Amino acid sequence: MNATSSQDEFAKWAKLRRQHDKAVAQYDEKAASLKSFRSSFDQAVTLLRWLGTNGFRFFLQFWFARRPMFWIPRGWVPGYVEFLLAFPRAPRGSVSIQIWGIACATVVQMAGAAVASGWVLVRERREGRGEKVGMKADSGRGAMGEKKDL
């Protein structure tokens, strides 16, 4: 008889199970290591990105807080506007770096919106969606000639 005993079957199964468990343990270890590396990498990239954008801006605003970006000629704007333009620590009659940064960010945002809108209009015109579509005027009557109620 070429039959194998149940003990031999169990021994083969146990050996395969141990190999599988060892491979799963190695996989879990590598997955945990990769997850840890990915987490630390994401934190480092997030920190560098923040420092390169907001951190640099905060540093410039702190460093140049008392220096005027430029001066406004006397009498061009009322006194309270001079105060607001110099806010928080620039000399009165000048524009502070904080206000100048807000103005520049607003202009960049508006320019980006204008470019995006123009791009959408050009794309729609190329695709033929920008053309007018003729529509029949409706007298406001239903299918039976009755007036529609809203």
Side-chain angles (χ1 to χ4, degrees), residues 63-86:
W63 192 258
F64 294 105
R66 294 188 185 270
R67 296 186 187 129
M69 293 302 292
F70 55 88
W71 292 92
I72 300 174
R74 187 175 300 272
W76 271 21
V77 293
Y80 65 90
V81 176
E82 281 184 356
F83 172 77
L84 289 175
L85 290 175

Side-chain angles (χ1 to χ4, degrees), residues 42-63:
D42 286 345
Q43 286 178 345
V45 167
T46 300
L47 177 67
L48 288 174
R49 187 177 59 214
W50 188 88
L51 287 175
T53 55
N54 292 330
F56 186 64
R57 181 176 54 93
F58 288 152
F59 171 75
L60 288 177
Q61 287 180 353
F62 172 75
W63 192 258

Side-chain angles (χ1 to χ4, degrees), residues 15 23 25 53 56 74 87 100 117 126:
K15 182 179 178 183
T53 55
F56 186 64
R74 187 175 300 272
F87 188 77
W100 184 245
S117 299
R126 281 186 188 157

Side-chain angles (χ1 to χ4, degrees), residues 25-35:
Q26 288 175 347
Y27 170 78
D28 289 342
E29 182 180 322
K30 286 182 181 181
S33 172
L34 182 64
K35 186 176 181 181

